[in-house]
Amino acid sequence: MRLRNIPGSREYIAQNDYVVHDPEQKKGKWHEVFGNNNPIHIEIGMGKGQFITSLAMQNPNINYIGIEKYSSVLLRAIEKREEYEGDNLYFLRFDAESITDIFAPSEVDRIYLNFSDPWPKDRHSKRRLTSSEFLARYDQFLVKDGYVAFKTDNRDLFDFSLEQVTLSGWQLRDVTFDLHHSEYVEGNIMTEYEERFSSMGNPIHRLVAFREKE
Amino acid sequence: MRLRNIPGSREYIAQNDYVVHDPEQKKGKWHEVFGNNNPIHIEIGMGKGQFITSLAMQNPNINYIGIEKYSSVLLRAIEKREEYEGDNLYFLRFDAESITDIFAPSEVDRIYLNFSDPWPKDRHSKRRLTSSEFLARYDQFLVKDGYVAFKTDNRDLFDFSLEQVTLSGWQLRDVTFDLHHSEYVEGNIMTEYEERFSSMGNPIHRLVAFREKE
């Protein structure tokens, strides 16, 4: 995604009630933030937020946290969120490299990764959100029977992810190289990018990675 | 592989001591054929037999059965086998579609599939040796902690296989899209085809499918 610097975006974000500004302070206390004990599902790299906002609207009994590194796109997600009156959706501006600083063991029930940055250079492979390094981080705070659901149009990133998941001793299910023409398409919520990309006829790849069966 | 009809090949095969001619009669009795209770590993579609013959030479305490549909290539495997004096390697000319007719439950400890026919047309997908239909067959005679090891250079077949394995509720490990440049290359035995293909710099894909951990 091309990122523009939008004047005033940081200030706008700073004033929004649904942006958590001190996420490290919430580690182990997210259920207090939401005021209930419903499951917590997170999206890392949510971009403009269409995916997680749709999920939050559909599932009022699940708590959602959308995490985005860049304030310019987080701004768009906040704008979208203003149309939604539910309180089961919070946003963070945060770099996922330090994600274990904000979630305690078993605090998260599901992780969504959608069209993550491919970091195409080999020397940047550890930055990919499906690398064994990141899986080891997720392992620290994802419930034992939770899972990571990952979608991408980037074939190289998908291949890398399949390798890393098995290398890390995680298991795979619901693997498809063409989500929109697979049996798994039912209930699929598209991201902004996915709508645009798949309308050109290009396939979306999807996998689910888990450690223990639900 | 281009197959030529070699005059006399059927007769030659019929006379060879290491070709089992009535495999259905051996169902449940393969340990008697080998005269011991060592594990049995099979290769389905062994072609000219370099892979399984090398394995048999390296591992005298494992019993090997190479299965090939076409007599013209089976002939080449038999010729190769004549250089080997061990008795832990038998061959069959047999169509794998009926493989459950020749192995009893838990009779086989490992299955190798190397550069299997991709059957590229959709309507032939059930003939692919990694289809859910074939996995269901393997499930009937593979020991619970056994596995299927599959190598191919055919990307479409590999993708299909990843999908089918997870669809069938099997698990994956040691997935790599470039076996020869992966950590799994140690101990890899190349087939004739693999030597030729990889020498051109093309990647070999490999997966291991299993139901329960060893």
Side-chain angles (χ1 to χ4, degrees):
Chain A
M1 193 179 317
R2 199 174 59 178
L3 301 176
R4 288 171 301 171
N5 186 27
I6 300 174
S9 62
R10 281 177 181 263
E11 293 72 14
Y12 181 80
I13 290 166
Q15 290 162 15
N16 192 280
D17 288 343
Y18 287 105
V19 177
V20 176
H21 301 288
D22 51 353
E24 292 92 341
Q25 304 301 317
K26 301 298 188 294
K27 182 174 180 172
K29 299 174 187 167
W30 284 101
H31 286 292
E32 295 174 25
V33 172
F34 287 102
N36 61 50
N37 280 317
N38 291 339
I40 294 176
H41 295 184
I42 69 174
E43 183 182 7
I44 307 176
M46 69 164 167
K48 297 179 185 171
Q50 172 172 299
F51 177 85
I52 198 164
T53 302
S54 300
L55 277 179
M57 290 176 176
Q58 284 181 14
N59 303 288
N61 294 324
I62 295 174
N63 297 322
Y64 292 91
I65 301 173
I67 303 170
E68 175 54 49
K69 185 160 53 175
Y70 299 107
S71 52
S72 53
V73 276
L74 175 57
L75 183 68
R76 299 297 170 217
I78 295 171
E79 288 171 351
K80 195 163 291 160
R81 200 214 177 296
E82 288 181 351
E83 301 160 19
Y84 176 52
E85 295 184 354
D87 54 6
N88 63 330
L89 173 60
Y90 280 88
F91 295 144
L92 316 180
R93 190 171 67 75
F94 196 77
D95 186 334
E97 295 265 348
S98 307
I99 195 162
T100 53
D101 291 345
I102 61 174
F103 295 115
S106 297
E107 195 159 21
V108 172
D109 295 84
R110 190 176 301 173
I111 300 171
Y112 292 105
L113 307 174
N114 293 315
F115 303 92
S116 310
D117 191 330
W119 290 103
K121 290 180 181 164
D122 276 350
R123 65 190 159 85
H124 290 150
S125 65
K126 291 181 183 182
R127 299 185 190 177
R128 298 171 195 154
L129 291 179
T130 51
S131 65
S132 57
E133 288 80 5
F134 268 98
L135 290 169
R137 292 183 182 116
Y138 306 151
D139 184 51
Q140 293 182 49
F141 60 80
L142 183 66
V143 296
K144 275 295 162 204
D145 60 354
Y147 65 77
V148 177
F150 170 57
K151 289 196 280 199
T152 183
D153 61 296
N154 186 301
R155 188 53 197 259
D156 288 339
L157 179 62
F158 194 67
D159 293 354
F160 170 84
S161 305
L162 288 166
E163 291 178 347
Q164 294 284 297
V165 167
T166 56
L167 183 67
S168 299
W170 290 51
Q171 299 175 36
L172 286 165
R173 62 177 170 82
D174 302 354
V175 173
T176 174
F177 291 86
D178 191 358
L179 174 60
H180 293 192
H181 298 97
S182 79
E183 65 198 278
Y184 309 115
V185 69
E186 196 181 323
N188 179 53
I189 293 176
M190 289 206 269
T191 73
E192 293 88 343
Y193 183 86
E194 186 174 357
E195 283 180 351
R196 190 153 42 93
F197 189 80
S198 64
S199 70
M200 301 188 291
N202 294 320
I204 306 297
H205 319 309
R206 203 279 304 268
L207 65 81
V208 171
F210 64 103
R211 293 155 303 170
E212 290 179 13
K213 286 201 167 67
E214 285 172 297
Chain B
M1 191 180 318
R2 199 174 59 178
L3 301 176
R4 288 171 301 171
N5 186 26
I6 300 173
S9 62
R10 281 176 181 263
E11 294 72 15
Y12 181 80
I13 290 166
Q15 289 161 16
N16 191 279
D17 287 343
Y18 287 105
V19 176
V20 177
H21 301 288
D22 51 353
E24 292 93 341
Q25 304 301 317
K26 301 299 188 294
K27 182 174 180 172
K29 299 174 187 167
W30 285 101
H31 286 291
E32 295 174 25
V33 172
F34 287 102
N36 61 50
N37 280 317
N38 291 339
I40 294 176
H41 296 184
I42 69 174
E43 183 182 7
I44 306 175
M46 69 165 167
K48 297 178 185 171
Q50 173 172 298
F51 177 85
I52 198 165
T53 303
S54 300
L55 277 179
M57 290 176 175
Q58 284 182 13
N59 304 288
N61 294 324
I62 294 174
N63 297 322
Y64 292 91
I65 301 173
I67 302 170
E68 174 55 48
K69 185 159 54 175
Y70 299 108
S71 52
S72 53
V73 277
L74 176 57
L75 183 68
R76 299 296 170 218
I78 295 171
E79 288 171 352
K80 196 163 290 159
R81 199 211 178 297
E82 288 181 352
E83 301 160 18
Y84 176 53
E85 295 184 353
D87 53 6
N88 62 330
L89 173 60
Y90 280 89
F91 295 143
L92 315 181
R93 190 171 67 74
F94 196 77
D95 186 334
E97 296 265 348
S98 307
I99 195 162
T100 54
D101 291 345
I102 61 175
F103 295 114
S106 298
E107 196 160 21
V108 172
D109 295 84
R110 191 176 300 173
I111 300 171
Y112 291 105
L113 307 174
N114 294 315
F115 302 92
S116 310
D117 191 330
W119 290 104
K121 290 179 181 163
D122 276 350
R123 65 190 160 86
H124 290 150
S125 65
K126 291 181 183 181
R127 300 185 190 177
R128 298 171 195 154
L129 291 179
T130 51
S131 65
S132 57
E133 288 81 4
F134 267 98
L135 290 169
R137 293 183 181 115
Y138 306 151
D139 184 52
Q140 293 181 49
F141 60 80
L142 183 66
V143 296
K144 275 295 161 204
D145 60 354
Y147 65 77
V148 177
F150 170 57
K151 290 196 279 199
T152 184
D153 61 296
N154 186 301
R155 188 52 198 258
D156 288 339
L157 179 62
F158 194 67
D159 293 354
F160 170 84
S161 305
L162 288 166
E163 291 178 346
Q164 294 284 297
V165 167
T166 56
L167 183 67
S168 299
W170 290 51
Q171 299 175 36
L172 287 165
R173 61 177 170 82
D174 302 355
V175 173
T176 175
F177 291 86
D178 191 358
L179 174 61
H180 294 191
H181 298 96
S182 78
E183 65 198 278
Y184 309 115
V185 69
E186 195 180 323
N188 179 52
I189 293 175
M190 288 205 269
T191 72
E192 293 87 343
Y193 183 86
E194 186 174 357
E195 283 180 351
R196 190 153 42 93
F197 189 80
S198 64
S199 70
M200 300 187 292
N202 293 321
I204 306 297
H205 319 309
R206 203 279 304 267
L207 65 81
V208 171
F210 64 103
R211 293 156 303 170
E212 290 180 13
K213 286 200 168 68
E214 286 172 297

